[in-house]
């Protein structure tokens, strides 16, 4: 059965991004890139909130994104993407950045539709506000947290704004050679 899976990078002190959306602390290497490529190849659709979407749309089609990891870049650029935003007026597709749909309301209905239409899992990448909303509406099936061995001191806390208790069960762990630890939780 298709699952809706959240994937987030998080610092050891619980931040998903630094000040001014800084992600330079992400601990990536060849092993991580292989993991990311495998994970992205399993995605039928990617769900984004506005902020993360705008960061991704500026990075992955760029020369830097394409040079950093061509396999992940190709998957990010071509996999269908759904952006949930009340403030965005439109999304723009290019010959590189493709298959983008903007949803401004009826989030729950759209997610159920995407889940029914997909033969592969649906990934939520980053997007703290969207993640909180999905958790509170019981729409996430799995949470994957990649804990980076770094303390950044300030930024956006993981699940900022959550109002209801969420009970998760640890399913698996994986330790990477660079010190990252992947924690996978089920609902």
């Amino acid at each position: 059965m298709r699952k809706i899976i959240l994937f987030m990078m998080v610092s050891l002190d619980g931040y998903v991004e630094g000040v001014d959306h800084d992600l330079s602390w992400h601990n990536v290497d060849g092993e991580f890139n292989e993991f990311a490529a495998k994970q992205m190849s399993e995605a039928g659709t990617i769900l984004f909130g506005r902020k993360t979407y705008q960061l991704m749309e500026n990075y992955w089609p760029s020369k830097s994104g394409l040079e950093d990891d061509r396999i992940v870049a190709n998957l990010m650029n071509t996999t269908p993407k759904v952006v949930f935003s009340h403030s965005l007026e439109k999304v723009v597709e290019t010959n590189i950045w493709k298959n983008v749909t903007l949803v401004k309301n009826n989030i729950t209905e759209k997610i159920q539709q995407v889940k029914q239409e997909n033969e592969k899992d649906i990934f939520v990448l980053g997007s703290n506000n969207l993640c909180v909303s999905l958790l509170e509406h019981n729409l996430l099936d799995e949470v994957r947290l990649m804990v980076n061995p770094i303390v950044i001191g300030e930024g956006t806390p993981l699940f900022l704004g959550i109002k209801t208790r969420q009970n998760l069960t640890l399913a698996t762990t994986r330790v990477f050679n660079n010190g990252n630890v992947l924690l996978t939780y089920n609902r």
Side-chain angles (χ1 to χ4, degrees):
M1 179 174 172
R2 297 162 303 281
K3 296 186 286 187
I4 299 179
I5 300 168
L6 163 66
F7 178 77
M8 280 245 209
M9 298 283 273
V10 62
S11 67
L12 195 56
D13 54 345
Y15 294 102
V16 295
E17 65 181 2
V19 175
D20 295 326
H21 311 294
D22 176 34
L23 302 177
S24 65
W25 53 271
H26 284 185
N27 192 15
V28 298
D29 60 7
E31 181 185 21
F32 175 83
N33 289 340
E34 285 178 27
F35 162 79
K38 181 180 183 309
Q39 179 173 259
M40 286 302 304
S41 71
E42 297 169 0
T45 300
I46 305 168
L47 307 180
F48 290 114
R50 178 190 58 81
K51 289 178 192 172
T52 302
Y53 172 76
Q54 289 176 320
L55 290 169
M56 297 292 187
E57 109 179 288
N58 287 323
Y59 179 73
W60 287 109
S62 73
K63 183 178 179 186
S64 294
L66 291 167
E67 288 176 354
D68 281 350
D69 190 331
R70 185 162 292 285
I71 295 170
V72 172
N74 182 54
L75 291 165
M76 288 293 291
N77 289 324
T78 59
T79 300
K81 294 165 272 301
V82 178
V83 183
F84 295 96
S85 173
H86 297 293
S87 60
L88 274 180
E89 293 299 318
K90 64 179 182 173
V91 290
V92 178
E93 292 186 21
T94 68
N95 62 335
I96 298 174
W97 187 250
K98 303 174 183 178
N99 302 315
V100 185
T101 302
L102 175 62
V103 176
K104 295 178 82 63
N105 48 39
N106 300 322
I107 292 173
T108 303
E109 292 171 22
K110 181 61 177 180
I111 289 175
Q112 294 298 348
Q113 177 188 349
V114 168
K115 196 170 184 178
Q116 289 175 353
E117 292 173 352
N118 267 277
E119 295 179 13
K120 296 171 107 179
D121 290 334
I122 298 127
F123 280 75
V124 183
L125 300 181
S127 302
N128 189 68
N129 292 340
L130 177 60
C131 296
V132 166
S133 181
L134 296 177
L135 274 169
E136 290 188 330
H137 287 93
N138 205 26
L139 292 170
L140 286 177
D141 300 302
E142 186 174 295
V143 175
R144 296 179 186 174
L145 300 177
M146 181 68 74
V147 181
N148 288 233
I150 186 168
V151 175
I152 63 173
E154 60 182 324
T156 303
L158 178 65
F159 305 129
L160 176 66
I162 194 92
K163 292 182 177 38
T164 57
R165 181 178 171 157
Q166 304 292 317
N167 293 319
L168 305 172
T169 303
L170 182 65
T172 64
T173 61
R174 176 179 169 186
V175 178
F176 287 70
N177 291 327
N178 66 7
N180 287 352
V181 178
L182 178 66
L183 303 172
T184 301
Y185 295 92
N186 293 326
R187 291 296 296 224

